[in-house]
Amino acid sequence: MRTIGIMNRVLKELFRDKRTLALMFIAPILVMLLMSVIFNTNSSTDVSVGTVSVSQKLNKEMGGIKHVTVKSYDTKKDAKAAMDDEKVDAIIKKNGKNYSLTYANTDSTKTATVKLAFKNALTATSINQLKSALKQSTKATVKLQAQLQALQKQQAATSATSATAGSAAAAKQAAAKQAAVTKAKSTNHATKSSSQSTPKITNHYVYGDKNTGYFAKMLPILMGFFVFFFVFLISGMALLKERTTGTLDRLLATPVKRSSIVFGYMLSYGVLAVIQTIVIVLTTVWLLGIEVVGSMASVVVINLILALVALAFGILLSTFANSEFQMMQFIPLVIIPQVFFSGIIPLDSMADWVKDISYIIPLKYSGDAVNDIIMRGTSIFDLGFDIMILLIFLIVLTILNVVGLKRYRKV
Amino acid sequence: MGKAIIDLQHLAKKFGDQTVLKDINLTVNPGEIVGLIGPSGAGKSTVIKVTLGMEVASGGSAKVFDTTMPNRELLGRIGYMAQTDALYDSLSGLENLKFFGLMKGIAKSDMKKEVMHAAEVVDLTADLNKRVSGYSGGMMRRLSLAIALLGSPELLILDEPTVGIDPALRRQIWAELGRIRDEGRSILITTHVMDEAELVGRVALLLGGEVMAFDAPAVLKQQYGVATIEDVFLKAEGVE
Ligand SMILES: Nc1ncnc2c1ncn2[C@@H]1O[C@H](COP(=O)(O)OP(=O)(O)OP(=O)(O)O)[C@@H](O)[C@H]1O
Ligand SMILES: [Mg+2]
């Protein structure tokens, strides 16, 4: 009952603070719009591709594609040097029948452009090859037909003069042989070119992997970041204000339980986080057109748990701050490192001990979970591990908070 | 005379290595108003905080309703008004009253009556729907007092309740405090206004971490051979 009372009061205060409220809901939308514009509009960047032992035809075909320039190198080493000098964005090397592609991948849109250009060029050349093969075989058939006709004429002519019958039979035999050979040859040619049209392509990335830098990959983390950031800051400030204005003391001078205060805050900020997450999810789906494969409700649930962790964190840290300015000082200490370790930057490329730090970052777990839901459609019930870790964070922090309030009232 | 409502025995309190309270002995009986006076920084607010269990005593014992503090359940029977106006700015006066009423455990059915009565005593009925951020200093103080009065608690602990309140309203408040006393409820009040100290049942003079004098105003005046409590105060401080 008291818990509900505290929840109502906190919500009332929150909804009267129009500016903070607007910031909570509008800022994430603006930032995400901005990011999607930045990450998606530069698809017309010019790329240059270095090729090694790639056929003249393919080079020409690729060079013909808009925004793509092709430079041919004699060895892979030369090409690599050019890439290091940032002269080329990707290297295509032919090994026998197969292709090996190396992307600098510092700009994901460039990588995507090269991929597309190469695929198109490859298809175009193999179609050309097929065409020419087809032409050749039709030419052969035409020739054969002509030969056959000539033969028939000859036959008709010679049938009258049976004297030359023997030689005619020999000619017929020779013609049939030739036809068989040409036919075999042309079919051979055709099958050869058709097997050439599906060479194996292997992709290598100098930096990161195929997922690097995509807005879609960042989205789950961003979503979590907004929820975490705002709930952490606003709840921390709210409790700080309760403490400095003395309302906390006054509250604790009533028979209210310490846990009721903490739970009351949790409920109210939980409500806020649910609304915020829904707004963010709807923005991303409708405004930015990002596909959510899994269930949106699951996304909301994960973010709700994250919000509660952020709340508990905010309340805990607010006890170490004596002013709102000191509360702000926790942002570079608590919030920024979370972003680094949350998966926006690929963790594989980090040293092991740095990777270990990421295990204590709540944002990592929510990011992983939401990522799975949005991109792979994973069910929330298969994300037990991430959820469990988040819940452990939540429980530990909540207990610390309830006990921590003892500083202000001894029972 | 029944059992004392507040019973402080040899109470001591240290903040770090600063000893604020050395040896405090103080009782408040049922149906009695006890005034706590003393120079600024003497430790009046500290006595109250230890009594309520918000600070823990370094020595001695603090009992309220014959129970050793701190005790959460007992807080429902105490009306406390802090020295600072602890109010929620963005809520209206009415919302503040209702919220604290709920926290004190006042039943829903009694809430309206309690809130209206408390508001009437401090003359805030007309401004109840205004947000506290738009209140004057005195209005905030009155709202704070109204919150303490909610639920007719058996014990009121008021830390300088009449600061910033005009004489007419102060008289009205003291009349209410008198009615509360006559109902058999008890009040512990701190004040810097010596006229008010004349109105209480017994005055405790806090000085140097000890209760220097503790008796009815008339007795104290006689003891010190002066005409007013103010003179008692000045003489005690001068003598020390
Ligand atoms: N939380 C605290 N930490 C450290 N020192 C404190 C704390 N609270 C009070 N003190 C010290 O205890 C002493 C008494 O403070 P207290 O607030 O009880 O004085 P007071 O008698 O109420 O004064 P006033 O009449 O000005 O309200 C002061 O010296 C103050 O600095
Ligand atoms: Mg004081």
Side-chain angles (χ1 to χ4, degrees):
Chain A
M1 193 59 220
R2 290 195 171 103
T3 308
I4 303 291
I6 291 172
M7 176 189 88
N8 285 336
R9 193 213 83 219
V10 174
L11 280 178
K12 224 180 257 172
E13 283 185 299
L14 272 171
F15 284 109
R16 287 190 185 167
D17 190 353
K18 297 278 185 301
R19 218 174 107 158
T20 305
L21 215 59
L23 193 74
M24 261 186 109
F25 292 108
I26 295 170
I29 295 174
L30 282 181
V31 173
M32 282 203 293
L33 267 176
L34 192 69
M35 288 190 78
S36 82
V37 169
I38 289 169
F39 282 89
N40 291 333
T41 48
N42 54 359
S43 52
S44 61
T45 38
D46 296 322
V47 293
S48 61
V49 180
T51 60
V52 184
S53 53
V54 168
S55 73
Q56 203 67 39
K57 247 187 211 159
L58 188 64
N59 274 345
K60 228 177 113 192
E61 193 67 51
M62 258 203 305
I65 295 172
K66 245 189 183 173
H67 302 300
V68 180
T69 38
V70 177
K71 278 176 222 156
S72 191
Y73 293 92
D74 292 337
T75 61
K76 172 121 193 201
K77 212 174 139 200
D78 291 344
K80 192 88 184 75
M83 182 182 268
D84 290 343
D85 289 345
E86 294 180 23
K87 279 194 197 117
V88 296
D89 302 306
I91 301 169
I92 301 174
K93 186 176 182 297
K94 193 172 181 187
N95 300 319
K97 254 171 36 183
N98 299 331
Y99 291 95
S100 141
L101 276 71
T102 310
Y103 308 100
N105 205 27
T106 45
D107 182 343
S108 62
T109 45
K110 282 188 176 177
T111 302
T113 312
V114 173
K115 261 186 198 168
L116 197 70
F118 176 68
K119 223 168 111 188
N120 288 345
L122 202 61
T123 331
T125 41
S126 64
I127 283 175
N128 277 348
Q129 264 171 350
L130 264 171
K131 253 194 215 158
S132 64
L134 207 69
K135 233 188 238 163
Q136 257 178 357
S137 64
T138 35
K139 233 190 242 162
T141 344
V142 168
K143 216 157 110 196
L144 207 71
Q145 267 171 346
Q147 266 176 346
L148 220 70
Q149 261 171 359
L151 228 79
Q152 273 169 343
K153 243 187 235 167
Q154 220 176 14
Q155 218 173 20
T158 47
S159 63
T161 52
S162 55
T164 49
S167 73
K172 198 177 168 189
Q173 243 179 4
K177 218 183 198 171
Q178 205 193 353
V181 168
T182 357
K183 208 174 172 185
K185 220 177 169 179
S186 67
T187 42
N188 198 359
H189 204 93
T191 47
K192 207 166 139 196
S193 64
S194 77
S195 75
Q196 239 174 11
S197 70
T198 54
K200 235 177 93 191
I201 300 169
T202 38
N203 292 316
H204 305 281
Y205 302 87
V206 173
Y207 167 77
D209 59 23
K210 63 181 192 297
N211 292 326
T212 306
Y214 287 115
F215 182 61
K217 160 94 179 171
M218 287 164 69
L219 184 75
I221 297 161
L222 260 169
M223 207 187 274
F225 171 74
F226 285 125
V227 170
F228 194 96
F229 179 78
F230 283 108
V231 171
F232 170 83
L233 205 62
I234 296 174
S235 67
M237 293 276 193
L239 207 85
L240 183 77
K241 197 172 156 222
E242 285 240 26
R243 219 181 70 216
T244 50
T245 59
T247 45
L248 184 65
D249 268 349
R250 176 151 227 168
L251 202 52
L252 286 168
T254 69
V256 69
K257 282 193 184 128
R258 280 176 284 125
S259 56
S260 292
I261 298 180
V262 174
F263 292 146
Y265 264 82
M266 279 189 166
L267 282 176
S268 48
Y269 279 89
V271 169
L272 201 70
V274 167
I275 301 174
Q276 197 193 21
T277 311
I278 291 174
V279 168
I280 292 178
V281 171
L282 292 185
T283 313
T284 52
V285 174
W286 285 340
L287 233 52
L288 311 183
I290 281 171
E291 189 195 0
V292 177
V293 182
S295 123
M296 285 201 228
S298 308
V299 175
V300 173
V301 169
I302 302 275
N303 277 317
L304 170 65
I305 302 175
L306 181 70
L308 294 180
V309 173
L311 166 88
F313 222 8
I315 292 181
L316 190 69
L317 287 187
S318 80
T319 55
F320 298 109
N322 288 323
S323 66
E324 289 175 356
F325 182 59
Q326 283 187 358
M327 192 69 206
M328 298 291 282
Q329 291 163 4
F330 286 121
I331 295 175
L333 258 152
V334 174
I335 306 280
I336 307 285
Q338 296 237 40
V339 179
F340 292 156
F341 292 109
S342 58
I344 282 190
I345 300 162
L347 289 169
D348 326 333
S349 54
M350 294 182 190
D352 280 344
W353 68 269
V354 183
K355 259 191 247 178
D356 289 343
I357 298 177
S358 74
Y359 293 118
I360 56 159
I361 304 290
L363 216 52
K364 172 192 181 316
Y365 297 97
S366 77
D368 280 354
V370 175
N371 209 345
D372 280 350
I373 296 170
I374 290 186
M375 303 235 256
R376 276 184 277 282
T378 314
S379 153
I380 196 165
F381 301 107
D382 295 332
L383 294 168
F385 175 73
D386 289 322
I387 294 175
M388 199 182 70
I389 302 277
L390 284 174
L391 286 179
I392 291 174
F393 271 116
L394 180 60
I395 292 168
V396 170
L397 288 171
T398 305
I399 292 172
L400 282 178
N401 278 327
V402 174
V403 173
L405 279 180
K406 265 201 171 164
R407 277 173 53 179
Y408 310 110
R409 186 180 73 190
K410 307 304 165 196
V411 282
Chain B
M1 213 168 76
K3 266 221 141 86
I5 300 290
I6 296 181
D7 187 10
L8 307 180
Q9 293 296 332
H10 307 293
L11 201 64
K13 175 71 193 168
K14 281 185 198 163
F15 287 113
D17 48 13
Q18 180 197 7
T19 305
V20 177
L21 304 179
K22 261 192 239 153
D23 184 22
I24 303 289
N25 299 291
L26 188 98
T27 54
V28 178
N29 296 317
E32 183 184 37
I33 302 181
V34 170
L36 193 57
I37 61 172
S40 180
K44 301 182 292 296
S45 298
T46 307
V47 168
I48 286 175
K49 283 188 175 151
V50 174
T51 308
L52 284 168
M54 286 154 67
E55 295 285 356
V56 87
S58 322
S61 79
K63 280 186 180 176
V64 179
F65 299 120
D66 213 19
T67 312
T68 306
M69 293 303 271
N71 181 306
R72 184 176 62 81
E73 302 288 345
L74 279 190
L75 292 171
R77 297 161 67 184
I78 303 172
Y80 168 58
M81 174 184 179
Q83 192 166 1
T84 50
D85 306 310
L87 302 165
Y88 296 105
D89 274 1
S90 54
L91 303 186
S92 69
L94 185 67
E95 285 165 333
N96 267 286
L97 281 169
K98 279 190 173 162
F99 173 69
F100 281 110
L102 184 65
M103 292 301 119
K104 280 183 168 186
I106 294 172
K108 249 209 166 86
S109 50
D110 299 337
M111 186 71 85
K112 201 171 160 66
K113 200 186 75 204
E114 291 286 348
V115 165
M116 283 309 153
H117 173 73
E120 214 170 297
V121 170
V122 297
D123 200 19
L124 266 184
T125 319
D127 300 300
L128 273 187
N129 289 316
K130 235 183 176 174
R131 298 242 177 118
V132 170
S133 51
Y135 273 22
S136 73
M139 282 160 84
M140 291 190 197
R141 202 80 202 120
R142 276 141 62 195
L143 181 60
S144 194
L145 177 60
I147 290 169
L149 296 176
L150 279 177
S152 312
E154 294 156 70
L155 172 64
L156 278 174
I157 296 182
L158 310 175
D159 203 347
E160 302 191 24
T162 53
V163 175
I165 291 180
D166 62 83
L169 194 59
R170 189 178 330 183
R171 191 162 289 181
Q172 189 184 326
I173 289 169
W174 272 96
E176 175 67 18
L177 294 183
R179 269 196 296 282
I180 289 171
R181 175 196 55 208
D182 295 342
E183 282 172 22
R185 289 147 67 192
S186 313
I187 301 171
L188 176 65
I189 188 168
T190 76
T191 183
H192 282 296
V193 185
M194 291 307 141
D195 303 353
E196 291 181 353
E198 309 270 2
L199 301 170
V200 303
R202 283 190 295 167
V203 182
L205 179 58
L206 199 62
L207 211 61
E210 284 177 50
V211 178
M212 288 280 290
F214 184 28
D215 221 322
V219 180
L220 282 186
K221 280 186 270 191
Q222 209 176 15
Q223 261 179 19
Y224 283 81
V226 289
T228 60
I229 290 292
E230 184 154 339
D231 291 330
V232 173
F233 186 102
L234 292 173
K235 199 162 176 186
E237 217 175 351
V239 165
E240 202 238 13

